[in-house]
Amino acid sequence: MPAGKPRTKAVGRPPHLSLDAIIAAADRILQTEGAEKISMRRLANELNSAPMALYYHVRDKDELLLLLMENQAKSVPRPELPEDPRERLITVSILLYELLSDRLWIVQVLTGADLVAPSALWFVEEMIGAAVDYGHTPEQAVYIYRTIWFSIVGDLVIRVNGERRRGKTTGPSHEDEVVAGLTSGTHPYLATVAGRWAELNARDTHRQGLTAIIDGLLRSDETTEDR
């Protein structure tokens, strides 16, 4: 059922809950515990209610997640975008990355279920439109959008998993320890940065990275619909 469509209410006495309260409680769980922890039973416990009372307002967990994503998408103001198509594509891509980085549970939902918030599709429209305005066909523009999207999601999934690991352990990661032990005899290039590996990996370079990817995609002769 699309988010925002009025529901047919169940017959009987309404429970002492509201859809707004359910969405607010689910958002708290998602923000503090992650998408893997959300369930109708967990949500009912948060609201000091019975799980069956929730079904008066939402059909199932997927509809709840759709409502949550739609609510988040509607709360995002649409900024004034640059006229230049390259600058517009960079601006929208960075905005999308930074909005999702503050809502990592959405990344978990999007990569784990076939769900989309209709109110968020303006990001896709602007990105594809910018690529077309730059001179690419609509088919090429979809390829450009998908490549940028995969880069954003991949980066944020690694961030989600990294934060989860850091929450469970203290001290250097296994990767840091392995790289620190490399020698110039076997891995000369890695050895030159081994002592700063953790620091270099921790740097936030999403703006530079997305800009470089977008410039490469827009200017490449390899960007074709037949790829």
Side-chain angles (χ1 to χ4, degrees):
M1 177 182 294
K5 183 177 179 180
R7 290 183 50 78
T8 301
K9 298 296 186 180
V11 176
R13 183 182 178 184
H16 295 292
L17 287 175
S18 69
L19 182 58
D20 288 343
I22 291 171
I23 290 176
D27 186 63
R28 288 195 300 271
I29 295 171
L30 288 165
Q31 293 284 4
T32 58
E33 301 178 26
E36 71 277 3
K37 296 296 184 181
I38 193 72
S39 69
M40 301 302 274
R41 183 170 298 279
R42 172 70 184 85
L43 182 55
N45 289 337
E46 180 77 8
L47 292 163
N48 295 316
S49 179
M52 287 306 298
L54 303 180
Y55 293 106
Y56 178 85
H57 299 278
V58 291
R59 182 182 56 209
D60 52 25
K61 178 180 172 180
D62 279 354
E63 185 181 22
L64 173 65
L65 292 172
L66 270 174
L67 288 168
L68 282 158
M69 291 195 297
E70 185 71 4
N71 186 62
Q72 290 288 326
K74 287 180 177 178
S75 70
V76 175
R78 293 183 61 166
E80 185 173 344
L81 298 172
E83 289 291 332
D84 178 75
R86 172 186 174 270
E87 293 300 321
R88 187 160 76 249
L89 183 54
I90 291 171
T91 299
V92 175
S93 299
I94 290 174
L95 175 62
L96 179 59
Y97 179 99
E98 293 177 350
L99 288 170
L100 288 175
S101 70
D102 291 332
R103 301 163 176 82
L104 291 175
W105 64 266
I106 295 179
V107 178
Q108 293 175 287
V109 171
L110 292 175
T111 56
D114 183 24
L115 302 174
V116 63
S119 293
L121 289 178
W122 71 265
F123 285 98
V124 184
E125 175 72 10
E126 290 289 355
M127 293 167 76
I128 291 175
V132 170
D133 289 348
Y134 192 87
H136 293 281
T137 67
E139 292 78 11
Q140 293 167 343
V142 171
Y143 166 75
I144 290 170
Y145 153 72
R146 282 170 54 82
T147 303
I148 297 168
W149 172 244
F150 291 150
S151 173
I152 290 172
V153 170
D155 185 292
L156 292 174
V157 166
I158 291 172
R159 177 184 291 194
V160 170
N161 292 332
E163 289 181 356
R164 185 180 295 118
R165 286 194 302 270
R166 285 191 294 273
K168 294 179 180 179
T169 61
T170 58
S173 69
H174 175 70
E175 178 185 338
D176 295 339
E177 292 177 340
V178 170
V179 173
L182 297 177
T183 66
S184 58
T186 57
H187 301 80
Y189 298 108
L190 277 171
T192 61
V193 295
R196 297 185 298 136
W197 188 252
E199 171 215 334
L200 294 173
N201 270 333
R203 290 182 179 177
D204 184 357
T205 58
H206 71 275
R207 287 174 172 262
Q208 301 96 309
L210 283 172
T211 299
I213 289 170
I214 289 168
D215 280 340
L217 288 168
L218 290 178
R219 298 170 184 171
S220 175
D221 293 333
E222 298 298 317
T223 304
T224 69
E225 60 265 40
D226 298 325
R227 284 180 69 84

